[in-house]
Amino acid sequence: MKALILAGGSGTRFWPLSRRRRPKQLLGLDAGTSLLRSTVDRLAPLIQPEDVWICTTELLADAIRAELPEVPDRQVLAEPEGRNTAPAIGWSLVAMDAGDDLVAVLPADHLFADPESFRGQLELAAGYARRDDRVMTIGVTPRWAETGYGYLELGASLGDDGAREVTHFREKPDADTARAYVDGGNHLWNGGIFVFQASTLLGHLVRFEPEIGAGLERIKNSPSDLAAAYGELPSISIDYAVMERLRGIGTVPLDGGWSDLGSWEALAEIMPKNEEGNAVEGDVIAVDSRDNLLYADQGTVAVVGVEGLVVVRTEDTVLVIPRERSQDVRAIVARLKADRRDDRL
Amino acid sequence: MKALILAGGSGTRFWPLSRRRRPKQLLGLDAGTSLLRSTVDRLAPLIQPEDVWICTTELLADAIRAELPEVPDRQVLAEPEGRNTAPAIGWSLVAMDAGDDLVAVLPADHLFADPESFRGQLELAAGYARRDDRVMTIGVTPRWAETGYGYLELGASLGDDGAREVTHFREKPDADTARAYVDGGNHLWNGGIFVFQASTLLGHLVRFEPEIGAGLERIKNSPSDLAAAYGELPSISIDYAVMERLRGIGTVPLDGGWSDLGSWEALAEIMPKNEEGNAVEGDVIAVDSRDNLLYADQGTVAVVGVEGLVVVRTEDTVLVIPRERSQDVRAIVARLKADRRDDRL
């Protein structure tokens, strides 16, 4: 089995710690270790670095090669530009020349509390991907009615090991639908990990998105056209391009310990707390303050009488935002882009 | 008339912007100009720099001489250590060899929106100080029931210009008393400015605080004993040592425009506000946030969805505190002192 790690994230959710050149996957958010490094280390007992491929952007390729010296340089693929996950996966599979090989696609920036059980379920999924020529996913028991994830509706058992057919894949439902899915107990979150035979997934992708298929064909036949051809690929996620449309997906459940660390709030949740409920990193002085995430990447963070805030201080910036609004850091990043503040992006 | 500016403040209220070596009076809080510079400039049409004396600490003397090159170096007096305002004023008057001269004592770090009316009232006070040999104060119409100030109870008129006798000087009343004073309408705040003939004030000080009198005598007769003798002076404010005990004080009212800038909240009140009610300094990005003081001395301050906060970013520190608790920044400074964090004091 080969691994294809998607590491093109632009890193807006952990701003100001994450920047264009230092996105989330390169931050030491896994107890000081970068999420990308943890992802590779987590796979190693099952998939060795010589079978690991990384898809990223030109901006990050050098930093990623430096972070992962054990992965052959040529296996760090640099997209000419970001076109979302369907083109990224399609192009990577072509570049990997993966044929009928089993491939696990994984995000570079997720956390797993229990790496051993993660590897066990990944192996299980690989078995069904091979046996049934099926596109398999890793499903996570939902913990709240998240509207930013995909949901897997569970069908018949594939075996006696918990693997199930997926009767419906629903990307990013509205709040009411998500609530109903979670309350109903018959849905899992899509954990963003897919296992399949490369030729199978490529076949589905070309069938559902002929424009991507034509573009990939052009790139294969004329590698010097890469930049031009890639820029014309439709920008669409693999979830919308393939998963929502494909019949016969399967899933293997993974209970507990998964986090996509999608926000400062998600980081706050997994960090240890002190007696006042504060999650603290770096040089922090907190007086009469509760349930905050206080993150001093550089310098000192001092707070008095505040509750439920995220305060992040970097070398050049500080962010203050209520924990429950931490997704809205995107509004700051959008403002910076509009103002062409490249010095802070 | 001579001016004696008290500039020994240790600068804890504007932490982290204020530090031991850069206290409030040296900060550019008056629209970019240091409060000390503004104090000297405000006096200049009435009291020229060659008649200005500054009492400060050894830690700050050089910085103050650099800030005020037009004040003769020897008129910047450096206390061996801080012993509060009664010893500071007594010793300065001795060092000034002021005799029967009129002297105005002024804090280095207050603001006046209307410098012309300030000078007019100061001149008025000087007239009564000379005519009646009276210790005169500048009284400010109280705007809230502050417990940190002194209150002047108004007695008979001294003339037809608003000057009044003070029948009672009450330093730092409790909250109920302060409330009654403000509601009663017969009290003014003590603005911290006193005008008197030097010999008169020194006479009162020696009479009420003989220990200070003996110490000053020793210093006068044996200047080399300064450090030892000064360290033994009782640490007491001029308000408790003289003003509360002295009969026959007078006051001249000053309406509006005075602020002692006693906290971040006081600064927020006098700063201009944008449409969202935010007072902003430096590189600030505020999204969906109201009524904050956002102060970027260095780098960028970014906030989303917060209200009524003070956020101050300096080169090495950030402070976050609700505006109404901004006095409690002292708790942080106390913690830093206890932890011997001289790098942040």
Side-chain angles (χ1 to χ4, degrees), chain A:
Chain A
M1 179 157 49
K2 288 178 172 147
L4 169 61
I5 299 174
L6 302 180
S10 64
T12 59
R13 290 156 182 257
F14 280 86
W15 188 91
L17 194 62
S18 60
R19 299 290 175 97
R20 285 176 306 161
R21 291 176 186 282
R22 193 183 58 188
K24 177 184 158 202
Q25 61 269 29
L26 290 174
L27 301 178
L29 297 179
D30 189 5
T33 301
S34 81
L35 295 170
L36 176 62
R37 151 73 45 215
S38 286
T39 298
V40 171
D41 289 351
R42 188 184 304 119
L43 287 170
L46 185 64
I47 306 175
Q48 288 73 46
E50 60 265 28
D51 289 323
V52 168
W53 294 66
I54 318 262
C55 183
T56 187
T57 62
E58 291 192 355
L59 191 68
L60 300 176
D62 286 344
I64 286 178
R65 290 187 183 116
E67 176 75 4
L68 301 173
E70 73 272 37
V71 173
D73 279 359
R74 68 171 206 92
Q75 291 176 206
V76 177
L77 306 169
E79 290 179 288
E81 61 180 281
R83 303 300 292 166
N84 214 327
T85 51
I89 293 171
W91 173 62
S92 297
L93 293 176
V94 169
M96 290 164 73
D97 197 15
D100 291 337
D101 289 347
L102 277 181
V103 175
V105 170
L106 311 104
D109 55 1
H110 291 184
L111 270 185
F112 293 84
D114 180 355
E116 202 161 338
S117 113
F118 160 79
R119 284 187 296 270
Q121 298 305 83
L122 192 62
E123 230 175 337
L124 203 59
Y128 287 103
R130 177 67 77 196
R131 188 194 81 179
D132 301 346
D133 195 8
R134 203 186 279 273
V135 175
M136 296 294 295
T137 65
I138 301 285
V140 176
T141 308
R143 300 195 290 272
W144 65 87
E146 174 66 48
T147 57
Y149 298 160
Y151 284 76
L152 311 166
E153 184 180 283
L154 298 175
S157 288
L158 295 175
D160 56 2
D161 46 21
R164 305 278 288 271
E165 252 190 321
V166 173
T167 50
H168 188 59
F169 181 108
R170 174 69 180 280
E171 179 67 0
K172 296 189 173 65
D174 62 34
D176 288 346
T177 307
R179 181 79 269 153
Y181 286 172
V182 173
D183 291 347
N186 196 41
H187 287 77
L188 298 178
W189 284 339
N190 169 32
I193 296 174
F194 306 106
V195 189
F196 47 75
Q197 295 184 157
S199 52
T200 302
L201 196 280
L202 268 177
H204 294 314
L205 180 58
V206 167
R207 179 162 53 96
F208 290 126
E209 294 283 338
E211 226 183 311
I212 294 182
L216 295 179
E217 195 64 28
R218 178 177 162 201
I219 292 167
K220 194 152 60 172
N221 296 333
S222 172
S224 62
D225 286 357
L226 173 62
Y230 205 88
E232 285 169 15
L233 296 178
S235 180
I236 184 171
S237 75
I238 195 73
D239 309 290
Y240 286 122
V242 175
M243 297 302 155
E244 273 205 338
R245 296 156 166 175
L246 184 62
R247 302 280 150 181
I249 300 176
T251 192
V252 158
L254 181 71
D255 272 317
W258 172 86
S259 171
D260 75 339
L261 279 188
S263 66
W264 285 110
E265 170 64 3
L267 180 65
E269 276 170 8
I270 64 151
M271 281 174 70
K273 313 292 185 299
N274 66 17
E275 279 180 13
E276 290 79 34
N278 295 313
V280 164
E281 172 71 31
D283 186 22
V284 169
I285 304 167
V287 173
D288 197 13
S289 295
R290 300 190 170 275
D291 303 328
N292 304 285
L293 170 58
L294 306 170
Y295 199 106
D297 182 53
Q298 303 246 353
T300 303
V301 168
V303 299
V304 181
V306 298
E307 206 174 312
L309 288 183
V310 174
V311 180
V312 184
R313 189 190 187 286
T314 65
E315 192 179 2
D316 57 16
T317 301
V318 64
L319 169 70
V320 182
I321 189 169
R323 281 179 58 166
E324 77 269 17
R325 292 199 58 178
S326 59
Q327 295 280 1
D328 293 336
V329 65
R330 285 178 287 199
I332 296 281
V333 175
R335 180 83 64 91
L336 288 167
K337 281 181 181 160
D339 294 348
R340 300 182 178 282
R341 287 293 305 272
D342 287 354
D343 59 324
R344 294 291 185 269
L345 284 168

Side-chain angles (χ1 to χ4, degrees), chain B residues 64-101:
Chain B
I64 285 179
R65 289 186 184 116
E67 176 75 4
L68 301 172
E70 73 273 36
V71 173
D73 279 358
R74 69 172 205 91
Q75 291 175 205
V76 176
L77 306 169
E79 292 180 288
E81 60 180 284
R83 304 298 294 165
N84 213 328
T85 51
I89 293 171
W91 172 63
S92 296
L93 293 175
V94 168
M96 290 164 73
D97 198 15
D100 291 337
D101 289 347

Side-chain angles (χ1 to χ4, degrees), chain B residues 7-342:
Chain B
S10 63
T12 58
R13 289 157 182 257
F14 280 86
W15 188 91
L17 194 62
S18 61
R19 299 291 174 96
R20 286 176 305 161
R21 293 176 184 281
R22 192 183 58 185
K24 178 184 157 201
Q25 61 268 28
L26 290 175
L27 301 179
L29 297 179
D30 188 6
T33 302
S34 82
L35 296 170
L36 176 61
R37 153 71 45 213
S38 286
T39 299
V40 171
D41 289 350
R42 189 184 303 120
L43 287 169
L46 184 64
I47 306 176
Q48 287 73 45
E50 58 264 29
D51 289 322
V52 168
W53 293 66
I54 316 264
C55 182
T56 187
T57 62
E58 291 191 357
L59 190 67
L60 301 176
D62 286 344
I64 285 179
R65 289 186 184 116
E67 176 75 4
L68 301 172
E70 73 273 36
V71 173
D73 279 358
R74 69 172 205 91
Q75 291 175 205
V76 176
L77 306 169
E79 292 180 288
E81 60 180 284
R83 304 298 294 165
N84 213 328
T85 51
I89 293 171
W91 172 63
S92 296
L93 293 175
V94 168
M96 290 164 73
D97 198 15
D100 291 337
D101 289 347
L102 278 180
V103 174
V105 170
L106 312 103
D109 56 0
H110 291 184
L111 269 187
F112 294 84
D114 180 355
E116 202 162 338
S117 113
F118 160 79
R119 284 188 297 270
Q121 297 307 80
L122 193 62
E123 228 175 339
L124 203 61
Y128 286 103
R130 176 67 80 197
R131 188 194 81 180
D132 302 347
D133 197 8
R134 206 186 277 274
V135 175
M136 295 296 293
T137 64
I138 301 284
V140 176
T141 309
R143 300 195 290 272
W144 64 87
E146 173 66 48
T147 58
Y149 297 161
Y151 284 76
L152 311 166
E153 183 180 283
L154 298 175
S157 288
L158 295 174
D160 57 2
D161 47 19
R164 305 278 289 269
E165 252 190 323
V166 172
T167 50
H168 187 60
F169 181 108
R170 175 69 180 281
E171 179 67 0
K172 294 189 173 66
D174 62 33
D176 288 347
T177 308
R179 181 79 268 155
Y181 287 171
V182 174
D183 291 346
N186 196 41
H187 286 79
L188 298 178
W189 283 340
N190 168 33
I193 297 174
F194 305 107
V195 189
F196 47 74
Q197 294 185 156
S199 52
T200 301
L201 196 280
L202 268 177
H204 294 315
L205 179 59
V206 168
R207 180 161 54 94
F208 290 127
E209 294 284 340
E211 227 183 311
I212 294 181
L216 295 180
E217 195 64 29
R218 179 178 161 202
I219 292 168
K220 192 151 64 173
N221 296 332
S222 174
S224 62
D225 285 358
L226 173 62
Y230 205 88
E232 286 170 13
L233 296 179
S235 180
I236 184 171
S237 75
I238 195 72
D239 309 291
Y240 285 122
V242 174
M243 299 299 155
E244 273 207 336
R245 295 154 166 177
L246 183 62
R247 302 282 150 178
I249 299 175
T251 193
V252 158
L254 181 72
D255 272 316
W258 172 85
S259 170
D260 74 340
L261 278 189
S263 66
W264 284 111
E265 169 64 3
L267 180 64
E269 277 170 7
I270 64 150
M271 281 173 71
K273 313 292 185 299
N274 65 17
E275 280 180 13
E276 290 79 33
N278 295 313
V280 164
E281 172 71 33
D283 186 21
V284 168
I285 304 166
V287 173
D288 196 13
S289 295
R290 301 191 168 275
D291 302 330
N292 304 284
L293 170 55
L294 306 170
Y295 199 105
D297 182 52
Q298 304 245 356
T300 303
V301 167
V303 300
V304 181
V306 298
E307 204 173 316
L309 288 184
V310 174
V311 180
V312 184
R313 189 188 187 286
T314 65
E315 191 179 3
D316 56 15
T317 300
V318 64
L319 169 70
V320 182
I321 189 170
R323 281 179 57 168
E324 76 269 16
R325 292 199 59 178
S326 59
Q327 295 281 359
D328 294 335
V329 65
R330 285 178 288 201
I332 297 281
V333 175
R335 180 83 64 89
L336 288 167
K337 281 182 182 161
D339 293 347
R340 300 184 178 283
R341 287 293 305 271
D342 286 355

